[in-house]
Amino acid sequence: MDVRHPEPAGRVTRRRARTRANLLDAAFAVFAAKGFGRVSIEEVCDAAGYSRGAFYSNFASLDELFFALYQERADLIARQVAEALADGGPDLAVPASVDRVTEVLLLDLDWLLVKTDFLVHAARDVTVAQTLLEHRTRLRGAIADRLARTPLPAVLGDADSAAHAVVAAYDGVTTQLLLDKDVDRARGWLKQLLTALLTDGSTPPPGCSE
């Protein structure tokens, strides 16, 4: 008699985790290429090489997948910012801190496209908006923790207000980046803006053009 033994729970869990990760990676590429509102579940499944059954065993809907994808990437960036600032120690100068933050924040155009889609989606959904606000709060918190140990221009007020200014500068620069696709120029402008915000502006970072 053919007796089939169920797979060990650990193996099933690992396989499901891989399936979920592969679906998220495929969705990231498809969303970046076509935009969230123009993508179907079938397209995500085709890109990942899975069936609809594999999709529905991990996500109830495309909205849920999109939500999970954004949260995963946003949490990663918040951690990277915190780690980049922490690695420099408490005596890291402002220009060096700016260099570290800009290298992490300006990841790639695909992420910015997906993030912008999520922002538009969040603007129409209170629950999604709350998730986006929570991510931005964590990101600002990582920046504010570092700025709390740095003398700041009086006009910025406290470290939390300065962190708001940093994120606002980033938002403005990345809007231009989405249009002109010039990553080097965007990184240069962001470094220049942040240095001017956080110091007296007398020590511009290298590589910035007029």
Side-chain angles (χ1 to χ4, degrees):
M1 181 173 63
D2 182 17
V3 178
R4 296 185 180 275
H5 299 284
E7 290 187 85
R11 185 180 302 170
V12 173
T13 300
R14 287 194 298 272
R15 186 176 64 187
R16 181 169 181 173
R18 280 198 306 273
T19 300
R20 180 182 174 89
N22 290 338
L23 283 166
L24 287 170
D25 287 344
F28 180 81
V30 176
F31 288 148
K34 299 189 66 175
F36 172 66
R38 297 182 175 88
V39 172
S40 67
I41 290 175
E42 287 77 9
E43 286 174 300
V44 173
C45 292
D46 287 347
Y50 292 121
S51 66
R52 286 177 66 93
F55 179 94
Y56 284 115
S57 70
N58 287 276
F59 303 103
S61 65
L62 205 56
D63 277 0
E64 184 180 310
L65 181 148
F66 189 52
F67 191 89
L69 172 65
Y70 182 86
Q71 197 157 29
E72 176 188 76
R73 301 280 173 148
D75 287 347
L76 171 63
I77 290 171
R79 288 197 305 272
Q80 287 175 330
V81 168
E83 290 166 4
L85 293 174
D87 285 347
D91 298 323
L92 188 66
V94 167
S97 297
V98 166
D99 281 346
R100 288 169 179 266
V101 169
T102 53
E103 290 301 322
V104 173
L105 283 177
L106 281 173
L107 289 178
D108 57 54
L109 287 166
D110 284 348
W111 163 245
L112 294 176
L113 287 167
V114 172
K115 186 169 76 76
T116 301
D117 271 350
F118 195 83
L119 175 62
V120 173
H121 187 46
R124 296 185 172 92
D125 188 307
V126 174
T127 302
V128 178
Q130 187 58 43
T131 295
L132 181 56
L133 289 170
E134 288 169 1
H135 159 64
R136 290 171 71 87
T137 297
R138 289 195 300 276
L139 183 61
R140 286 198 308 270
I143 296 170
D145 285 347
R146 177 64 187 82
L147 294 179
R149 305 190 296 272
T150 303
L152 296 168
V155 69
L156 288 177
D158 59 15
D160 187 59
S161 296
H164 272 80
V166 167
V167 175
Y170 167 70
D171 288 342
V173 169
T174 53
T175 298
Q176 180 68 25
L177 173 58
L178 282 168
L179 299 175
D180 65 22
K181 309 294 191 294
D182 191 336
V183 175
D184 290 337
R185 183 173 176 82
R187 182 170 285 114
W189 273 113
L190 185 59
K191 289 180 180 181
Q192 194 169 27
L193 282 171
L194 295 185
T195 300
L197 273 172
L198 302 176
T199 69
D200 60 5
S202 62
T203 55
C208 289
S209 59
E210 293 296 329

PDB file of all heavy atoms in Angstrom, residues 15-24 41 44-46 48-61 64-65:
ATOM      1  N   ARG A  15       9.234  26.493   2.256  1.00  0.00           N
ATOM      2  CA  ARG A  15       8.802  26.555   0.861  1.00  0.00           C
ATOM      3  C   ARG A  15       7.789  27.675   0.662  1.00  0.00           C
ATOM      4  O   ARG A  15       7.850  28.414  -0.324  1.00  0.00           O
ATOM      5  CB  ARG A  15       8.195  25.213   0.441  1.00  0.00           C
ATOM      6  CG  ARG A  15       7.862  25.158  -1.057  1.00  0.00           C
ATOM      7  CD  ARG A  15       7.361  23.786  -1.434  1.00  0.00           C
ATOM      8  NE  ARG A  15       6.107  23.482  -0.766  1.00  0.00           N
ATOM      9  CZ  ARG A  15       5.513  22.295  -0.822  1.00  0.00           C
ATOM     10  NH1 ARG A  15       6.086  21.293  -1.473  1.00  0.00           N
ATOM     11  NH2 ARG A  15       4.359  22.090  -0.206  1.00  0.00           N
ATOM     12  N   ARG A  16       6.880  27.804   1.602  1.00  0.00           N
ATOM     13  CA  ARG A  16       5.883  28.874   1.490  1.00  0.00           C
ATOM     14  C   ARG A  16       6.546  30.247   1.595  1.00  0.00           C
ATOM     15  O   ARG A  16       6.168  31.179   0.886  1.00  0.00           O
ATOM     16  CB  ARG A  16       4.824  28.723   2.590  1.00  0.00           C
ATOM     17  CG  ARG A  16       3.749  29.796   2.510  1.00  0.00           C
ATOM     18  CD  ARG A  16       2.589  29.493   3.399  1.00  0.00           C
ATOM     19  NE  ARG A  16       1.579  30.518   3.290  1.00  0.00           N
ATOM     20  CZ  ARG A  16       0.385  30.452   3.863  1.00  0.00           C
ATOM     21  NH1 ARG A  16       0.042  29.379   4.567  1.00  0.00           N
ATOM     22  NH2 ARG A  16      -0.483  31.428   3.725  1.00  0.00           N
ATOM     23  N   ALA A  17       7.551  30.360   2.477  1.00  0.00           N
ATOM     24  CA  ALA A  17       8.265  31.631   2.610  1.00  0.00           C
ATOM     25  C   ALA A  17       8.973  31.987   1.310  1.00  0.00           C
ATOM     26  O   ALA A  17       8.987  33.152   0.890  1.00  0.00           O
ATOM     27  CB  ALA A  17       9.255  31.557   3.768  1.00  0.00           C
ATOM     28  N   ARG A  18       9.563  30.960   0.647  1.00  0.00           N
ATOM     29  CA  ARG A  18      10.221  31.208  -0.634  1.00  0.00           C
ATOM     30  C   ARG A  18       9.211  31.631  -1.699  1.00  0.00           C
ATOM     31  O   ARG A  18       9.472  32.540  -2.492  1.00  0.00           O
ATOM     32  CB  ARG A  18      10.963  29.955  -1.108  1.00  0.00           C
ATOM     33  CG  ARG A  18      12.312  29.723  -0.458  1.00  0.00           C
ATOM     34  CD  ARG A  18      13.153  28.749  -1.274  1.00  0.00           C
ATOM     35  NE  ARG A  18      12.458  27.498  -1.527  1.00  0.00           N
ATOM     36  CZ  ARG A  18      12.468  26.453  -0.713  1.00  0.00           C
ATOM     37  NH1 ARG A  18      13.131  26.521   0.430  1.00  0.00           N
ATOM     38  NH2 ARG A  18      11.817  25.345  -1.024  1.00  0.00           N
ATOM     39  N   THR A  19       8.073  30.969  -1.707  1.00  0.00           N
ATOM     40  CA  THR A  19       7.033  31.311  -2.673  1.00  0.00           C
ATOM     41  C   THR A  19       6.570  32.749  -2.470  1.00  0.00           C
ATOM     42  O   THR A  19       6.437  33.522  -3.430  1.00  0.00           O
ATOM     43  CB  THR A  19       5.827  30.356  -2.546  1.00  0.00           C
ATOM     44  OG1 THR A  19       6.256  29.015  -2.793  1.00  0.00           O
ATOM     45  CG2 THR A  19       4.726  30.721  -3.529  1.00  0.00           C
ATOM     46  N   ARG A  20       6.336  33.101  -1.228  1.00  0.00           N
ATOM     47  CA  ARG A  20       5.901  34.466  -0.917  1.00  0.00           C
ATOM     48  C   ARG A  20       6.957  35.486  -1.342  1.00  0.00           C
ATOM     49  O   ARG A  20       6.638  36.501  -1.958  1.00  0.00           O
ATOM     50  CB  ARG A  20       5.618  34.579   0.587  1.00  0.00           C
ATOM     51  CG  ARG A  20       5.157  35.959   1.030  1.00  0.00           C
ATOM     52  CD  ARG A  20       4.951  35.993   2.537  1.00  0.00           C
ATOM     53  NE  ARG A  20       4.634  37.334   3.008  1.00  0.00           N
ATOM     54  CZ  ARG A  20       3.419  37.832   3.088  1.00  0.00           C
ATOM     55  NH1 ARG A  20       2.380  37.090   2.739  1.00  0.00           N
ATOM     56  NH2 ARG A  20       3.209  39.062   3.522  1.00  0.00           N
ATOM     57  N   ALA A  21       8.215  35.191  -1.026  1.00  0.00           N
ATOM     58  CA  ALA A  21       9.294  36.109  -1.387  1.00  0.00           C
ATOM     59  C   ALA A  21       9.410  36.256  -2.901  1.00  0.00           C
ATOM     60  O   ALA A  21       9.612  37.365  -3.427  1.00  0.00           O
ATOM     61  CB  ALA A  21      10.614  35.630  -0.789  1.00  0.00           C
ATOM     62  N   ASN A  22       9.278  35.148  -3.620  1.00  0.00           N
ATOM     63  CA  ASN A  22       9.358  35.201  -5.081  1.00  0.00           C
ATOM     64  C   ASN A  22       8.193  35.983  -5.686  1.00  0.00           C
ATOM     65  O   ASN A  22       8.364  36.714  -6.670  1.00  0.00           O
ATOM     66  CB  ASN A  22       9.389  33.784  -5.657  1.00  0.00           C
ATOM     67  CG  ASN A  22      10.690  33.062  -5.350  1.00  0.00           C
ATOM     68  OD1 ASN A  22      11.709  33.688  -5.074  1.00  0.00           O
ATOM     69  ND2 ASN A  22      10.660  31.735  -5.387  1.00  0.00           N
ATOM     70  N   LEU A  23       7.008  35.813  -5.119  1.00  0.00           N
ATOM     71  CA  LEU A  23       5.862  36.585  -5.590  1.00  0.00           C
ATOM     72  C   LEU A  23       6.066  38.080  -5.357  1.00  0.00           C
ATOM     73  O   LEU A  23       5.744  38.903  -6.221  1.00  0.00           O
ATOM     74  CB  LEU A  23       4.589  36.113  -4.883  1.00  0.00           C
ATOM     75  CG  LEU A  23       3.987  34.797  -5.368  1.00  0.00           C
ATOM     76  CD1 LEU A  23       2.955  34.272  -4.367  1.00  0.00           C
ATOM     77  CD2 LEU A  23       3.348  34.956  -6.749  1.00  0.00           C
ATOM     78  N   LEU A  24       6.616  38.439  -4.194  1.00  0.00           N
ATOM     79  CA  LEU A  24       6.869  39.845  -3.890  1.00  0.00           C
ATOM     80  C   LEU A  24       7.914  40.435  -4.837  1.00  0.00           C
ATOM     81  O   LEU A  24       7.761  41.555  -5.333  1.00  0.00           O
ATOM     82  CB  LEU A  24       7.320  40.009  -2.435  1.00  0.00           C
ATOM     83  CG  LEU A  24       6.227  39.815  -1.377  1.00  0.00           C
ATOM     84  CD1 LEU A  24       6.835  39.755   0.009  1.00  0.00           C
ATOM     85  CD2 LEU A  24       5.182  40.929  -1.459  1.00  0.00           C
ATOM     86  N   ILE A  41      -3.429  39.853 -11.328  1.00  0.00           N
ATOM     87  CA  ILE A  41      -2.862  38.731 -10.576  1.00  0.00           C
ATOM     88  C   ILE A  41      -2.155  37.769 -11.530  1.00  0.00           C
ATOM     89  O   ILE A  41      -1.078  37.242 -11.223  1.00  0.00           O
ATOM     90  CB  ILE A  41      -3.969  38.015  -9.782  1.00  0.00           C
ATOM     91  CG1 ILE A  41      -4.461  38.905  -8.637  1.00  0.00           C
ATOM     92  CG2 ILE A  41      -3.473  36.672  -9.246  1.00  0.00           C
ATOM     93  CD1 ILE A  41      -5.636  38.350  -7.871  1.00  0.00           C
ATOM     94  N   VAL A  44       1.377  38.874 -12.312  1.00  0.00           N
ATOM     95  CA  VAL A  44       2.303  38.625 -11.207  1.00  0.00           C
ATOM     96  C   VAL A  44       2.663  37.148 -11.154  1.00  0.00           C
ATOM     97  O   VAL A  44       3.839  36.787 -10.999  1.00  0.00           O
ATOM     98  CB  VAL A  44       1.694  39.086  -9.868  1.00  0.00           C
ATOM     99  CG1 VAL A  44       2.584  38.672  -8.691  1.00  0.00           C
ATOM    100  CG2 VAL A  44       1.492  40.600  -9.857  1.00  0.00           C
ATOM    101  N   CYS A  45       1.667  36.286 -11.301  1.00  0.00           N
ATOM    102  CA  CYS A  45       1.916  34.840 -11.272  1.00  0.00           C
ATOM    103  C   CYS A  45       2.827  34.410 -12.418  1.00  0.00           C
ATOM    104  O   CYS A  45       3.753  33.609 -12.225  1.00  0.00           O
ATOM    105  CB  CYS A  45       0.598  34.075 -11.342  1.00  0.00           C
ATOM    106  SG  CYS A  45      -0.438  34.239  -9.872  1.00  0.00           S
ATOM    107  N   ASP A  46       2.595  34.943 -13.593  1.00  0.00           N
ATOM    108  CA  ASP A  46       3.431  34.599 -14.747  1.00  0.00           C
ATOM    109  C   ASP A  46       4.875  35.034 -14.516  1.00  0.00           C
ATOM    110  O   ASP A  46       5.816  34.300 -14.831  1.00  0.00           O
ATOM    111  CB  ASP A  46       2.895  35.271 -16.014  1.00  0.00           C
ATOM    112  CG  ASP A  46       1.610  34.620 -16.521  1.00  0.00           C
ATOM    113  OD1 ASP A  46       1.283  33.507 -16.048  1.00  0.00           O
ATOM    114  OD2 ASP A  46       0.932  35.246 -17.363  1.00  0.00           O
ATOM    115  N   ALA A  48       6.387  35.412 -11.713  1.00  0.00           N
ATOM    116  CA  ALA A  48       6.997  34.622 -10.643  1.00  0.00           C
ATOM    117  C   ALA A  48       7.105  33.148 -10.999  1.00  0.00           C
ATOM    118  O   ALA A  48       7.857  32.399 -10.351  1.00  0.00           O
ATOM    119  CB  ALA A  48       6.187  34.777  -9.358  1.00  0.00           C
ATOM    120  N   GLY A  49       6.330  32.705 -12.010  1.00  0.00           N
ATOM    121  CA  GLY A  49       6.336  31.295 -12.383  1.00  0.00           C
ATOM    122  C   GLY A  49       5.469  30.433 -11.487  1.00  0.00           C
ATOM    123  O   GLY A  49       5.745  29.240 -11.301  1.00  0.00           O
ATOM    124  N   TYR A  50       4.386  31.015 -10.949  1.00  0.00           N
ATOM    125  CA  TYR A  50       3.490  30.281 -10.057  1.00  0.00           C
ATOM    126  C   TYR A  50       2.062  30.316 -10.584  1.00  0.00           C
ATOM    127  O   TYR A  50       1.714  31.127 -11.450  1.00  0.00           O
ATOM    128  CB  TYR A  50       3.510  30.886  -8.645  1.00  0.00           C
ATOM    129  CG  TYR A  50       4.796  30.702  -7.909  1.00  0.00           C
ATOM    130  CD1 TYR A  50       5.525  31.798  -7.462  1.00  0.00           C
ATOM    131  CD2 TYR A  50       5.297  29.437  -7.633  1.00  0.00           C
ATOM    132  CE1 TYR A  50       6.717  31.646  -6.764  1.00  0.00           C
ATOM    133  CE2 TYR A  50       6.485  29.266  -6.932  1.00  0.00           C
ATOM    134  CZ  TYR A  50       7.190  30.373  -6.514  1.00  0.00           C
ATOM    135  OH  TYR A  50       8.365  30.205  -5.841  1.00  0.00           O
ATOM    136  N   SER A  51       1.234  29.443 -10.011  1.00  0.00           N
ATOM    137  CA  SER A  51      -0.186  29.406 -10.365  1.00  0.00           C
ATOM    138  C   SER A  51      -0.968  30.388  -9.499  1.00  0.00           C
ATOM    139  O   SER A  51      -0.455  30.913  -8.501  1.00  0.00           O
ATOM    140  CB  SER A  51      -0.738  27.996 -10.132  1.00  0.00           C
ATOM    141  OG  SER A  51      -0.707  27.695  -8.734  1.00  0.00           O
ATOM    142  N   ARG A  52      -2.213  30.605  -9.885  1.00  0.00           N
ATOM    143  CA  ARG A  52      -3.083  31.451  -9.053  1.00  0.00           C
ATOM    144  C   ARG A  52      -3.269  30.830  -7.667  1.00  0.00           C
ATOM    145  O   ARG A  52      -3.429  31.547  -6.681  1.00  0.00           O
ATOM    146  CB  ARG A  52      -4.445  31.625  -9.737  1.00  0.00           C
ATOM    147  CG  ARG A  52      -4.417  32.557 -10.923  1.00  0.00           C
ATOM    148  CD  ARG A  52      -5.788  32.611 -11.596  1.00  0.00           C
ATOM    149  NE  ARG A  52      -6.788  33.206 -10.732  1.00  0.00           N
ATOM    150  CZ  ARG A  52      -7.119  34.503 -10.726  1.00  0.00           C
ATOM    151  NH1 ARG A  52      -6.515  35.344 -11.547  1.00  0.00           N
ATOM    152  NH2 ARG A  52      -8.055  34.955  -9.925  1.00  0.00           N
ATOM    153  N   GLY A  53      -3.249  29.485  -7.596  1.00  0.00           N
ATOM    154  CA  GLY A  53      -3.383  28.828  -6.301  1.00  0.00           C
ATOM    155  C   GLY A  53      -2.253  29.207  -5.368  1.00  0.00           C
ATOM    156  O   GLY A  53      -2.477  29.437  -4.170  1.00  0.00           O
ATOM    157  N   ALA A  54      -1.030  29.278  -5.895  1.00  0.00           N
ATOM    158  CA  ALA A  54       0.116  29.692  -5.075  1.00  0.00           C
ATOM    159  C   ALA A  54      -0.063  31.133  -4.615  1.00  0.00           C
ATOM    160  O   ALA A  54       0.269  31.480  -3.470  1.00  0.00           O
ATOM    161  CB  ALA A  54       1.408  29.544  -5.868  1.00  0.00           C
ATOM    162  N   PHE A  55      -0.610  31.957  -5.502  1.00  0.00           N
ATOM    163  CA  PHE A  55      -0.851  33.353  -5.131  1.00  0.00           C
ATOM    164  C   PHE A  55      -1.836  33.424  -3.968  1.00  0.00           C
ATOM    165  O   PHE A  55      -1.568  34.070  -2.943  1.00  0.00           O
ATOM    166  CB  PHE A  55      -1.392  34.134  -6.323  1.00  0.00           C
ATOM    167  CG  PHE A  55      -1.684  35.582  -6.019  1.00  0.00           C
ATOM    168  CD1 PHE A  55      -0.741  36.555  -6.274  1.00  0.00           C
ATOM    169  CD2 PHE A  55      -2.912  35.978  -5.462  1.00  0.00           C
ATOM    170  CE1 PHE A  55      -0.996  37.897  -5.981  1.00  0.00           C
ATOM    171  CE2 PHE A  55      -3.179  37.291  -5.166  1.00  0.00           C
ATOM    172  CZ  PHE A  55      -2.210  38.263  -5.427  1.00  0.00           C
ATOM    173  N   TYR A  56      -2.976  32.759  -4.113  1.00  0.00           N
ATOM    174  CA  TYR A  56      -4.026  32.867  -3.105  1.00  0.00           C
ATOM    175  C   TYR A  56      -3.693  32.136  -1.804  1.00  0.00           C
ATOM    176  O   TYR A  56      -4.345  32.373  -0.781  1.00  0.00           O
ATOM    177  CB  TYR A  56      -5.353  32.378  -3.669  1.00  0.00           C
ATOM    178  CG  TYR A  56      -5.996  33.369  -4.614  1.00  0.00           C
ATOM    179  CD1 TYR A  56      -6.168  33.080  -5.964  1.00  0.00           C
ATOM    180  CD2 TYR A  56      -6.411  34.617  -4.142  1.00  0.00           C
ATOM    181  CE1 TYR A  56      -6.753  33.991  -6.829  1.00  0.00           C
ATOM    182  CE2 TYR A  56      -6.981  35.544  -4.996  1.00  0.00           C
ATOM    183  CZ  TYR A  56      -7.153  35.237  -6.335  1.00  0.00           C
ATOM    184  OH  TYR A  56      -7.726  36.158  -7.184  1.00  0.00           O
ATOM    185  N   SER A  57      -2.692  31.288  -1.829  1.00  0.00           N
ATOM    186  CA  SER A  57      -2.265  30.670  -0.573  1.00  0.00           C
ATOM    187  C   SER A  57      -1.400  31.633   0.257  1.00  0.00           C
ATOM    188  O   SER A  57      -1.122  31.374   1.432  1.00  0.00           O
ATOM    189  CB  SER A  57      -1.470  29.392  -0.844  1.00  0.00           C
ATOM    190  OG  SER A  57      -0.211  29.675  -1.411  1.00  0.00           O
ATOM    191  N   ASN A  58      -1.003  32.747  -0.369  1.00  0.00           N
ATOM    192  CA  ASN A  58      -0.174  33.729   0.316  1.00  0.00           C
ATOM    193  C   ASN A  58      -0.836  35.093   0.468  1.00  0.00           C
ATOM    194  O   ASN A  58      -0.571  35.809   1.433  1.00  0.00           O
ATOM    195  CB  ASN A  58       1.151  33.913  -0.439  1.00  0.00           C
ATOM    196  CG  ASN A  58       2.079  32.741  -0.289  1.00  0.00           C
ATOM    197  OD1 ASN A  58       2.816  32.637   0.681  1.00  0.00           O
ATOM    198  ND2 ASN A  58       2.031  31.811  -1.256  1.00  0.00           N
ATOM    199  N   PHE A  59      -1.698  35.439  -0.477  1.00  0.00           N
ATOM    200  CA  PHE A  59      -2.325  36.762  -0.457  1.00  0.00           C
ATOM    201  C   PHE A  59      -3.805  36.636  -0.835  1.00  0.00           C
ATOM    202  O   PHE A  59      -4.146  35.884  -1.747  1.00  0.00           O
ATOM    203  CB  PHE A  59      -1.627  37.705  -1.439  1.00  0.00           C
ATOM    204  CG  PHE A  59      -0.155  37.862  -1.188  1.00  0.00           C
ATOM    205  CD1 PHE A  59       0.766  37.199  -1.983  1.00  0.00           C
ATOM    206  CD2 PHE A  59       0.313  38.659  -0.156  1.00  0.00           C
ATOM    207  CE1 PHE A  59       2.123  37.327  -1.759  1.00  0.00           C
ATOM    208  CE2 PHE A  59       1.668  38.796   0.086  1.00  0.00           C
ATOM    209  CZ  PHE A  59       2.575  38.123  -0.713  1.00  0.00           C
ATOM    210  N   ALA A  60      -4.633  37.402  -0.159  1.00  0.00           N
ATOM    211  CA  ALA A  60      -6.059  37.358  -0.457  1.00  0.00           C
ATOM    212  C   ALA A  60      -6.409  38.162  -1.704  1.00  0.00           C
ATOM    213  O   ALA A  60      -7.418  37.900  -2.351  1.00  0.00           O
ATOM    214  CB  ALA A  60      -6.851  37.887   0.737  1.00  0.00           C
ATOM    215  N   SER A  61      -5.563  39.141  -2.037  1.00  0.00           N
ATOM    216  CA  SER A  61      -5.862  40.013  -3.166  1.00  0.00           C
ATOM    217  C   SER A  61      -4.579  40.700  -3.624  1.00  0.00           C
ATOM    218  O   SER A  61      -3.543  40.651  -2.959  1.00  0.00           O
ATOM    219  CB  SER A  61      -6.882  41.081  -2.758  1.00  0.00           C
ATOM    220  OG  SER A  61      -6.312  41.945  -1.784  1.00  0.00           O
ATOM    221  N   GLU A  64      -3.586  43.321  -1.117  1.00  0.00           N
ATOM    222  CA  GLU A  64      -2.841  42.813   0.038  1.00  0.00           C
ATOM    223  C   GLU A  64      -1.377  42.595  -0.318  1.00  0.00           C
ATOM    224  O   GLU A  64      -0.476  42.902   0.465  1.00  0.00           O
ATOM    225  CB  GLU A  64      -3.453  41.503   0.534  1.00  0.00           C
ATOM    226  CG  GLU A  64      -2.781  40.960   1.794  1.00  0.00           C
ATOM    227  CD  GLU A  64      -3.412  39.669   2.271  1.00  0.00           C
ATOM    228  OE1 GLU A  64      -4.647  39.630   2.394  1.00  0.00           O
ATOM    229  OE2 GLU A  64      -2.654  38.701   2.496  1.00  0.00           O
ATOM    230  N   LEU A  65      -1.124  42.062  -1.520  1.00  0.00           N
ATOM    231  CA  LEU A  65       0.256  41.867  -1.956  1.00  0.00           C
ATOM    232  C   LEU A  65       0.973  43.212  -2.061  1.00  0.00           C
ATOM    233  O   LEU A  65       2.115  43.358  -1.615  1.00  0.00           O
ATOM    234  CB  LEU A  65       0.286  41.144  -3.303  1.00  0.00           C
ATOM    235  CG  LEU A  65       1.677  40.846  -3.880  1.00  0.00           C
ATOM    236  CD1 LEU A  65       1.655  39.559  -4.689  1.00  0.00           C
ATOM    237  CD2 LEU A  65       2.162  41.987  -4.768  1.00  0.00           C
TER     238      LEU A  65
END
